[in-house]
Amino acid sequence: MELHEPELREVPVTAVLAALADDVRLQIVRALAPGGEHACGSFEFGVSKATRSHHLKVLREAGLTRTRVAGTTRYVRLRREELDRLYPGLLDAVLAERGGVA
């Protein structure tokens, strides 16, 4: 099964920012930030499986993640190096704790 994963340079920065603007997607990105692959089913953020799948698809189509299919399992990872190269400091700023912000 081939999944649509755009070249990050072809994705408008507004699409990247829109994908990061959702709390659940931001939680997923934070969970992926330390690195490595994670099984898509391992994320528990208080949403249904269908909603989780939708959020993972939005992140993938915005160029933020890569997904590898192995049998019936999908593994996802953050495209950190590519994102840092194209948008220096963006992920660091988004992932920083918002201490004191109301």
Side-chain angles (χ1 to χ4, degrees):
M1 170 180 259
E2 187 96 12
L3 300 174
H4 174 66
E5 292 182 340
E7 290 297 323
L8 190 54
R9 67 181 177 278
E10 296 172 2
V11 177
V13 69
T14 52
V16 173
L17 293 172
L20 291 169
D22 180 87
D23 287 337
V24 173
R25 290 193 290 269
L26 190 53
Q27 288 179 57
I28 293 170
V29 170
R30 283 192 172 125
L32 294 172
E37 288 185 324
H38 298 267
C40 292
S42 68
F43 298 107
E44 294 296 330
F45 297 114
V47 296
S48 69
K49 180 180 176 181
T51 300
R52 181 181 62 219
S53 293
H54 166 74
H55 287 304
L56 290 166
K57 178 182 176 185
V58 170
L59 290 170
R60 186 181 72 246
E61 291 181 348
L64 290 158
T65 61
R66 287 238 186 252
T67 303
R68 178 176 64 88
V69 179
T72 59
T73 304
R74 293 181 183 202
Y75 297 92
V76 64
R77 68 174 176 82
L78 191 61
R79 294 169 70 174
R80 182 74 189 240
E81 290 179 11
E82 294 171 79
L83 287 160
D84 287 345
R85 188 172 45 252
L86 196 57
Y87 305 116
L90 175 65
L91 278 182
D92 289 335
V94 168
L95 296 174
E97 290 298 319
R98 300 178 296 170
V101 176

